[in-house]
Amino acid sequence: MRLHRLDITAFGPFGSTQSVDFDALSGAGLFLLHGPTGAGKTSVLDAVCYALYGSVPGARQSGQGMHLRSDHAPPGTRTEVRLELTVAGRRLEITRQPPWERPKLRGKGMTVDKAQTWLREYDARAAAWKDLSRSHQEIGAEVEQLLGMSREQFCQVVLLPQGDFARFLRADAEARSRLLGRLFDTRRFADVEKRLAERRRATEARVREGDTALLAVAHRMQQEAGDAMELPEPDPGDPGLAEAVLGAAAVARSTARERLDIAHCRLAAAESAHAAARHALDEARELARLQSRFAEARERAERLRERAGAHREDQRRMERARKAEAVAPALELREAADRDHHEAARAETRARGALPDAYGGADAGGLAAAARRTAEELGGLETARRAERRLAELAEERAGLDRQERADEEVLREADAWLDGWDTTRAALQTRLDSAQEAATRAEQLAVQREPMRRRLDAARTRDRLAADLAQARQRADESGRRALDARAHWLDLKEQRLTGIAAELAAHLADGEPCAVCGATEHPAPARKAAGHVDRETEERALAAARRAEEEHTEDERRLGAVREDLAAATAEAGDTPTARLAAEADDLEREYARARRDASALHAVQQELRRAEQEREQRLADRQQAAVRAASRLTRRDTLEREQALLAAEVEQARGGLGSVAARAAQLERLAARLTEAADAVRAAEDAALRLKDADARLADAAYRAGYDTPRDAADALLEPAAHRALQHRLDAWQQEEAAVRAVLAESGTTAAAQLPPA
């Protein structure tokens, strides 16, 4: 912010218009406002503050600005302050006129004009002033935003009038930090500091994580290396951990390589010995295998000679079976026809046994005709079956209506019982809600009182501590004052003694022929002599230094005493004369009352939810009761309709039942009879067809047996083998041939004549 010009009219001690050109004053970089008391120095600063914020520091603003007017101004001259300044790169002009009392233009008496404010900005392009606002609030907010300070902060930091600088210095560190941070915009430095701290913590965490992972790898390496590696002593995050681990790993790696080379040499020697032993073993095993194979071949040849007769019998049996295989299809056909004939006969017997006696001797055609007549009668019952099903549906619907009626009656009873107690329930919930809201309001009021009470209690404790410190500081100041007086008196005594014997001190430097420093004489017939206890210059200077040190100590003690007095005065102004114990008790009572109010207010949300749920349940109960009444009315109409329909359908169903319990039973009876007649007709036809197929199969079997060379079909059937017996016989023949070929090959390989003794295949 830079001030350019200030115009003051009828303000403070200035009865007329006065102008201050700050551009001319600040041309040398620094200027001073000076003058006797009452000359108006503070009023100039007050005018600057009034132009910016519409008020002045201290108590001069009382009376809504009426006291700002100069007592020396003519009655017709209005008080006005105009300030031209540059802030945030913008050149502004602020004009303010406080309210003032003037004579009425018509009649007698006085009237009060309201305060006026103008804000203009200089447009460099147009080279003219542009009006911005005439609102006190808008102009105040704009100035405070541009300066970044409120009026109190501006008075504490920029003006600092009438000892307010001391009040700024006595402010706590947090308040001064906020103010100075806002003035000098230190947020970026705080952000940088915070960012650097976060990066430091993140880097430390990454280093610690890396060291932890490195130590884990080192532990695994030690487990594998055994006594060849020793772990380093540093912990994760200590400097030199990585170098220590790498050094230990290098030692372990070298030791492991040496052991590996030794193991390779031992392995090569063992493999050579193992290869030689294995070669000798393979040769011995081959010789034993050949000898065992030859002995086994001779035993197998002997067993073949013993089983030669059985082998020839198997060959003959296989030949007969191959001839009989030509008759096998005819035999299978005849057996299948015989099984079908017996099965058809049994089925016919079962089917006829299930029929009534009236159908016992009927043929297939008669049974089929009876089944068709029964099916036609069954088709006529379909309408009655639908009517019977409809009757069951109507009965179920009536039962459902009865169940619904009972359920609605239960709903009505529950709703009426619940709604009867609604007023009591709502009143209780509302009482709880009002109590919780009052507790919440009380908690908010007490929360506002807590911080001032804490400050007063801290100030009281500080006051008590400083009161004790004040007595000690006063005692120290008194003692140091006495010591300073004693030291000064001692120095003055020594100085007086030295002045008394100064002639002897000067005479000590006299020499014959040399002029005296005092009288200028060159002869010294009777120079003075130093008496006992003479004080020299050095002793006097030491006493003077001691006196000055004592005076400095006394000054320092007086300064400390003044500081303690100021702090005590500030603490007393904050805490008052109330005893600390009483303030502590009041603070404890306030905290307990606040905690109790908070505890009571914590139930507010739950009570609100409970009341909301109760109101929703009431609405639901009312809706349920209304819906139950509507359903009851609709059930009466539906029950009459169902009763009329049931009477009509019951007569139709009773006629179709035929003396049975239901139409379905009658239909089931007819369905069973029709199915049995159809089954019996099919069984009679199947028995007739099976008899014809059996006769044809007997003729084909006799012809096939004759062509195969058998006298009767029975002989051919006896020659046939079962599949399992055929496979077993073929397996024995194949095994004989394979065994014979293998024995001949082994004996021929051995160069013996035993192969010629085997029977021919």
Side-chain angles (χ1 to χ4, degrees), residues 377 380-385 387-388 391 646-667 669-670:
E377 184 180 358
L381 293 177
E382 184 62 30
T383 303
R385 295 176 69 178
E388 188 178 39
L391 276 176
Q646 275 182 321
L648 296 174
L649 292 176
E652 181 181 354
V653 170
E654 185 65 26
Q655 183 180 0
R657 286 176 180 173
L660 295 179
S662 64
V663 177
R666 176 59 179 167
Q669 183 185 35
L670 293 176

Side-chain angles (χ1 to χ4, degrees), residues 292 575 618:
S292 175
R618 176 177 177 272

Side-chain angles (χ1 to χ4, degrees), residues 592-670:
R592 284 193 295 271
E593 188 176 358
Y594 175 71
R596 183 167 56 254
R598 288 256 322 209
R599 183 174 61 254
D600 296 339
S602 62
L604 177 60
H605 180 71
V607 175
Q608 289 175 343
Q609 293 292 332
E610 188 175 354
L611 179 59
R612 191 178 298 110
R613 287 194 298 269
E615 292 176 347
Q616 292 175 354
E617 185 175 0
R618 176 177 177 272
E619 296 296 331
Q620 185 63 38
R621 297 278 186 176
L622 293 174
D624 293 342
R625 188 168 65 179
Q626 183 179 3
Q627 292 174 2
V630 173
R631 288 195 297 269
S634 64
R635 276 196 303 271
L636 294 175
T637 304
R638 182 58 180 166
R639 186 176 283 110
D640 294 340
T641 304
L642 293 179
E643 290 177 354
R644 289 193 298 270
E645 187 177 359
Q646 275 182 321
L648 296 174
L649 292 176
E652 181 181 354
V653 170
E654 185 65 26
Q655 183 180 0
R657 286 176 180 173
L660 295 179
S662 64
V663 177
R666 176 59 179 167
Q669 183 185 35
L670 293 176

Side-chain angles (χ1 to χ4, degrees), residues 292-309 311-312 735-748 750 752-761:
S292 175
R293 184 180 179 190
F294 177 73
E296 183 182 357
R298 291 180 65 86
E299 293 176 359
R300 290 162 65 185
E302 185 63 28
R303 287 195 297 269
L304 288 176
R305 283 193 296 271
E306 293 175 355
R307 297 199 307 269
H311 175 63
R312 285 190 290 272
W736 173 274
Q737 292 178 357
Q738 293 175 2
E739 184 73 10
E740 182 185 10
V743 171
R744 289 181 183 275
V746 173
L747 295 177
S750 302
T752 63
T753 59
Q757 301 175 4
L758 293 174

Side-chain angles (χ1 to χ4, degrees), residues 678-733:
T678 302
E679 183 181 359
D682 294 339
V684 171
R685 293 191 192 96
E688 293 173 355
D689 293 340
L692 293 176
R693 289 196 300 274
L694 178 60
K695 185 177 180 180
D696 182 64
D698 286 338
R700 291 184 179 182
L701 177 59
D703 182 62
Y706 177 75
R707 285 197 302 269
Y710 293 98
D711 295 335
T712 63
R714 174 56 57 189
D715 295 337
D718 293 340
L720 281 175
L721 294 174
E722 294 293 334
H726 185 277
R727 287 193 299 271
L729 180 58
Q730 185 64 44
H731 178 69
R732 288 199 301 272
L733 293 175

